[in-house]
Amino acid sequence: MTTAREIMTPDAECIGANESVLHAAHKMAELGIGALPICGLDERLKGVLTDRDIVVKVLATDKDPATTTAGELAQGEAVTIGADDDASEILRTMSAHKVRRLPVIDGHTLVGMVAQADVARALPDPAVGDLVETLSTD
């Protein structure tokens, strides 16, 4: 069975929990991505910041992106997948938590990200279709 390590995008870049949302937005634009893992000073994953989070939770509420930190937007424990977990676990986790991206960890170390697009490229159409349907409904 295909594992997260085999389909992930490796070397995911983090945004520090104390770094500004504005810095995160610039980093997303530079890298051409829509999400960044939030890492604390202890190098542990604190959450995932998305471009949608920036718009809905910062800009739309009139917060200053230059003074709002990425860590302020981290909510609870991050949903992750183990690097050696198989594709069925990726599908189950994405579906259960209604997330389109999963940080991939090996122990406590962030090693990559698996996005819905990675799943679509790597898995058979029926599994991908079921995932898309689950993520598209409330």
Side-chain angles (χ1 to χ4, degrees):
M1 183 56 114
T2 304
T3 66
R5 189 183 308 273
E6 294 170 320
I7 66 171
M8 71 182 188
T9 301
D11 304 321
E13 295 232 7
C14 279
I15 189 72
N18 294 326
E19 292 185 81
S20 75
V21 170
L22 182 60
H23 178 69
H26 287 293
K27 198 170 193 176
M28 285 181 196
E30 177 185 315
L31 298 170
I33 57 175
L36 284 169
I38 303 169
C39 296
L41 295 175
D42 59 0
E43 297 295 316
R44 296 214 178 205
L45 187 66
K46 304 298 182 193
V48 175
L49 178 66
T50 67
D51 46 10
R52 186 175 194 284
D53 291 332
I54 293 171
V55 171
V56 173
K57 297 176 183 175
V58 179
L59 300 177
T61 60
D62 295 323
K63 291 183 179 174
D64 182 357
T67 59
T68 303
T69 66
E72 289 176 54
L73 300 182
Q75 296 179 336
E77 192 169 322
V79 177
T80 63
I81 194 82
D84 297 317
D85 288 348
D86 67 33
S88 63
E89 185 64 17
I90 295 168
L91 293 170
R92 188 198 67 71
T93 303
M94 284 182 159
S95 295
H97 295 278
K98 292 215 175 229
V99 294
R100 290 175 167 78
R101 302 168 185 96
L102 286 172
V104 181
I105 58 169
D106 191 353
H108 291 291
T109 305
L110 178 70
V111 294
M113 291 281 282
V114 171
Q116 184 178 355
D118 298 319
V119 173
R121 282 190 292 272
L123 300 181
D125 289 344
V128 173
D130 290 345
L131 175 63
V132 170
E133 182 178 347
T134 299
L135 295 178
S136 298
T137 59
D138 287 329

